[in-house]
Amino acid sequence: MTAATSSTLFPRGSTPGAYAATPRDADAVLDGLDPEQREVATSLHGAVCVLAGAGTGKTRAITHRIAYGVRAGILQPASVLAVTFTNRAAGEMRGRLRQLGAGGVQARTFHSAALRQLQYFWPKAVGGEVPRLVERKVQLVAEAAARCRVRLDRNELRDVTGEIEWSKVTQTVPEDYSAAAAKSGREAPRDAAEISRIYATYEQLKRDRGVIDFEDVLLLTVGVLQERPDIADQVRRQYQHFVVDEYQDVSPLQQRLLDLWLGDRDSLCVVGDASQTIYSFTGATPDHLLNFRIRHPGATVVKLIRDYRSTPQVVHLANGLLSQARGRAAEHRLELVSQREAGPDPVYAAYPDEPAEAEGTARRIRELITPVEQGGGGVPASQIAVLYRVNAQSELYEQALADAQVPYQLRGAERFFERPEVREAGLLLRGAARGGSADPALADADVPSQVRAVLGTRGWTPEPPAGSGAVRDRWESLAALVRLAEDFAGSRPGATLSDLVAELDERAAAQHAPTVEGVTLASLHAAKGLEWDAVFLVGLTEGMMPITYAKTEQQIEEERRLLYVGVTRARRHLTLSWALSRAPGGRASRRPTRFLNGLRPGSQALGARTPGGSGGIERGAAAPGGGGGVRRRRGPVHCRVCGRALTDAGEMKLMRCEGCPSELDEALYERLRDWRAEQAALLGQPAYCVFTDKTLLAIAEAVPGTESELAGISGVGRRKLDRFGADVLALCAGRELPSAQDGEGDDGAGGSHSGDPWQNSTEK
C-alpha cells in the first residue's frame, strides 16, 4: 500500500525550514520552528498543553521538544516516555527522534508501554509468568454467547465484542453495562441484558483459562501500580517526563494509567485538538484535554494555528465548517491561518444520481493524474483520495475508477468483493442461478426481486437496521448488491440471474489491479492522520452526513467534526459532492448536508457563527517564569471593513480584503516610501527589511496615532516598533523628519544603528 504522505523525516506540507541532516547541537534543533512551535520545544518544565489544529506541525513540535531537551542535557533519553495511539504514529515518532539525535527515547502506544511494564513486574507483583495474551477475543466472545444460549451471527459477534471493549476502557463492569450504555446513548447491537450476561461469561472464561486481552493489559497495569507503591515508585524513577499525542482520544482507563505514571508530578506535555474528536464510540473523550488547565492550574497552554498543510482556500472552508458548531469542543475550536500560497477554490458538485457522482469523480481524477504536458494536473495517483462515510459506499467508486483505468487501493477495509457478506451473497446467488429459485412464486420474477429474496435470508431488509457498527455495514453491503441488481436489470431488460452473476464475477476480476501508485479509497475515520494533494469528499447528503443514526446534538457535532477531518486532509485540491437521487431516473429528493449551509454557493447559514480561538501562549499562575500573566502571539486577523477572517498573507497585512474599499492616504504612503528608502540605505539592507509594501499600505490606510495602534498593524513587531515607531508616528502626524543621512534623527527611533540583523525579524 502506498503511504499517503512521504516517509521522510519532515513530510511535505509540515513546516518550512525542514532539514534531513541531524542538527549539530541543541540550538540547531530549534531552527525552522515557528514562534509557537519553539515555545513548545523550549517549555520543558511543568505541565504543557498544546492545542494543535490540523496541519500545524504538532508532531514536529513535540519531537523537537524532546530532542531539544535531550540535546541540551535537560532530559535523559531513558527518562522520557512518549505515548500515542497507533504503532504507525509511534514508529514515525521514533524515526524523527533518531534523526534529530535523540535516540533511546521510548515512543510507544499505551498498550505497548503497559504490556512491557506488566511483563517486567508480574513476577515480582504476582509471581510466575504473565498470563497469555489473547490477540483476538472474538472466539472467546462467541463461546461466551453460546454458553448464554444467545445466537450471534458474525457481524453481531463483532459488535458485541466492540461493546465489551468499550465497557472495559470506560471501566464499566458487566452488571453496570445496561445503565452505562443507556446513559451514554449507545445503540446496543443486542438486548443490553444479553450483552451484560455475555460480558460476564467472557470474563469468567478468561479467568478459567488464565488468559488476558488487550484491555486487561491496561487494567492489570493500573492494578499493579495502585496496589504496589514500591513498583509505582520504580516506574516513576525510570520515567520522569511524559508526552502524550492525540490527547483528545484518551479513554478514562488510559487517563487513569497516565495519572499513576505521573504520581504527584506535573512533567507532562499533552497535544490534541478537540475539533478532531471522532472516536467517541470507542470510549475516547476530549474532556481530559479541555479540563487540562483545571487539573494543572499552572500549565502553559500553547495554541498552534499556523496551517502548513492546506491552502488558504481549504483552510477558509475548514474554519467555516466549525464556525457553526455547538458544544464544549466548539467553544475551544482553533481558527487556522494558512501559511501556503493560494490554490484553487474548493469545488462543489451536485450529481443527478450516485453512479453519476462516482463516474464524475473518476473522470476528474483521471484529469488530475494526466501529466501536465498532456494538459492534465500532474498529480500522482497516490496523492489523491476519495473519502466516504461508510465502507459500503466504496463499491461504486471501485467500479468507476476501474472503468476509467485508474488504479486504486482501499484503506481500512476489505475490497468490496472480498468482504465476507459479499462473497457469501455471491455464492448464494450463483446457487440460485444454477438451481432456480427455491420459491415458486419468484420463478417468473424479475432479477431484482430474485436478488432481494435471496439476500433477505442473509440480513437484507427494505429498511436499514437501527444503529451503527457491523450490522449496519453488512446491511449496506447487501443493499449495494440489491441496487446493483436493480441498475443492471434497468440497463438490460431481458437479463437473467445468471447474467447478473456473470457480471459480478467480471467486476470482481477487473478490480484486482496493481495498487502501488493507486488512488486511496477510505472511510473518513480511516483517513485520520493522513493527507493528500487532492481529496474528494463524496456522498455528502443528509442521512449520510450526518449519518441517519446520529440523533443527539453530541452525535451530530461529532459528524460535523468528522467532515472537518475530511476537509483538512486536503493540501491543495478539494471537491465536495453529493447525489440528488440514488439511482438514475430517481426522484431528486435528496439534500446536501446541512454542514455546508452558508459555505457552498447558493446556501444560507443556519444560526450565528461562533468566533474561533487565536493562537499564542497562555501561562498558568504557577508556571516557571509565567508571572501569572498571559502572553499572546498574533492570531487570526479580521477585515476591518467587512469583518471576514483573513487567511491570505497580503490581506492580513492590510487588515482588509483585497476587494473591500480602501482609505489610503496616498501622500502619506509616498512619504513612508521615501523614509523607508533612506533607512534601508543607511542599514545597507533591502527596503523590505525595514517594512514591506503591504505593511506601508496598511499604515497609510490606518494612519495610527498612538504606539498601540501602530503595534496592532500586522508586520510591526516589537523590535521594529522600538526602532522605527517614533519616526512612523511622526510621519502619520504630518511632521517632517530630518534626513537620516544627516545623522540628526533620534538614535532610538530614527534607525541609525548600523549593522542590525533585521533578517531575524518576524516580517519576511
Side-chain angles (χ1 to χ4, degrees), residues 366-396:
R366 180 80 259 177
E367 295 170 357
L368 278 176
I369 64 176
T370 299
V372 174
E373 56 270 20
Q374 298 178 22
V379 180
S382 61
Q383 292 301 328
I384 302 175
V386 178
L387 306 181
Y388 35 75
R389 178 61 180 83
V390 297
N391 287 327
Q393 292 173 272
S394 75
E395 193 274 335
L396 279 174

Side-chain angles (χ1 to χ4, degrees), residues 734-749:
R735 298 195 299 270
E736 293 295 330
L737 296 176
S739 171
Q741 301 288 354
D742 296 336
E744 298 175 2
D746 187 320
D747 188 49

